[in-house]
Every structure is written in structure tokens, then in C-alpha cells.
Amino acid sequence: MNQYEAAAQIADEIPDIQKEIVRAPVFGSAYLSVKVLANYTAKMLQQHQLKQVHRCMLLAEKIYNRGNQLVKTAIENVFIFSFSSFRMSCTRQEWLEVQRIMPAVLFSLYIQQVLKPGV
């Protein structure tokens, strides 16, 4: 899956952000498309919409698993990196719930990122 297919997948699966995804320059950029998804996920977390947060994470995992190297790197550097801000925007109990619903692939990437020296 390339950056165009990833953007189309996000737009198809989350209609709330479809208009934002299909605009230039977002549609041609894996990083900007994933940033829109991460921002939407953060917004859903702030609104305590954990079902929607889970849906976003499943989508990010699907894109990561099927994506080319550019898409995988965008998920790691944008979506996974945003978990730290997600953590700061919720209570300890909510964060435990988010970790519980987080797909294993994303959780593993998050743990690797947190344990990296210098991060």
C-alpha cells in the first residue's frame, strides 16, 4: 500500500475526516494523511470516544501492516509518536483502557519508541 492508497483507506473508513484527507497537499503525503488520522484519534480520546479511538488504531495497524516502507515510517513517526500526547490528555485509568484496546503491533512499536535511548 502506497501513500495514495493509505490516504484513500483512511478517507473511506473514517468519513468524518474524508474532506481533510482528499485535499491537496494531504492526499499525496503519507505523513500528512497519518497526521490527520492522529489528530482525529486525539480528538476522539479527548471526547472519551474510546470505541472510535479503537477504530482509528485498528485502521492505523491495517495501514502499517499493508503499507510500503514510506507508509510504515509515517505510522511510526507520526501516529505512534502521538501516543505520548494521547497519554497526557487522559486520566491514568483512561490510558490503561487505551493500552488495553491498542492493537499489539502498535503497542509493540510504542514500547520500542519509548525505550529508545534519547527519546
Side-chain angles (χ1 to χ4, degrees), residues 64-81:
Y64 183 82
N65 287 336
R66 296 180 183 170
N68 62 19
Q69 192 55 52
L70 175 65
V71 172
K72 287 180 186 287
T73 303
I75 293 290
E76 291 170 12
N77 291 342
V78 178
F79 195 80
I80 301 300
F81 190 77

Side-chain angles (χ1 to χ4, degrees), residues 48-67:
H48 311 289
Q49 301 290 325
L50 291 183
K51 195 174 206 176
Q52 203 55 6
V53 170
H54 186 235
R55 185 173 171 211
C56 293
M57 289 187 173
L58 290 174
L59 175 57
E61 178 188 44
K62 182 193 311 186
I63 291 168
Y64 183 82
N65 287 336
R66 296 180 183 170

Side-chain angles (χ1 to χ4, degrees), residues 92-108:
R92 180 171 166 73
Q93 187 59 41
E94 284 175 322
W95 180 244
L96 291 173
E97 181 65 17
V98 168
Q99 287 179 311
R100 189 185 68 73
I101 64 173
M102 196 180 293
V105 169
L106 299 186
F107 187 73
S108 175

